Amino acid sequence: TFEMCQSGQFTELVERRFADAIKHLEARGASAITGDCGFMMAFQVLARKIASKPIFMSSMVQCPIIAASLDPDDDILILTANSESLKPQKE
């Protein structure tokens, strides 16, 4: 759920289903897997441990690449549904 993504924590059942979904997509021939919610960044490390293919759970994984292409004093604007929930994922 969106609330679970914002909290950055899965229940055991959801974590198992998350792993099963990744494995299912790979078994179906996926070359890479992407997510579409910034809050899924909290699960990027877990997803990488499960996946054998490139996996990008959030567009936020692109931030270091974007930052590297800008001047050090430039800012990056991130629009989000809930900045307080996203802050812990900054690290």
Side-chain angles (χ1 to χ4, degrees):
T1 65
F2 185 63
E3 291 78 18
M4 199 173 292
C5 288
Q6 284 188 351
S7 76
Q9 296 182 347
F10 281 152
T11 63
E12 287 183 34
L13 175 61
V14 171
E15 187 171 325
R16 277 195 311 273
R17 289 182 176 169
F18 181 72
D20 290 345
I22 291 170
K23 292 173 186 172
H24 173 77
L25 290 169
E26 289 184 333
R28 299 253 344 230
S31 299
I33 300 169
T34 65
D36 67 349
C37 176
F39 294 104
M40 289 297 287
M41 188 64 189
F43 308 108
Q44 179 67 29
V45 172
L46 173 62
R48 278 298 318 133
K49 289 178 182 177
I50 297 165
S52 62
K53 304 288 184 184
I55 190 161
F56 310 95
M57 293 311 305
S58 166
S59 58
M60 299 293 287
V61 298
Q62 298 175 53
C63 286
I65 297 166
I66 295 167
S69 71
L70 301 172
D71 288 329
D73 295 331
D74 287 346
D75 292 324
I76 299 171
L77 174 66
I78 297 173
L79 303 175
T80 178
N82 186 331
S83 62
E84 292 304 312
S85 294
L86 194 60
K87 280 182 186 177
Q89 298 179 32
K90 184 179 179 183
E91 303 304 317

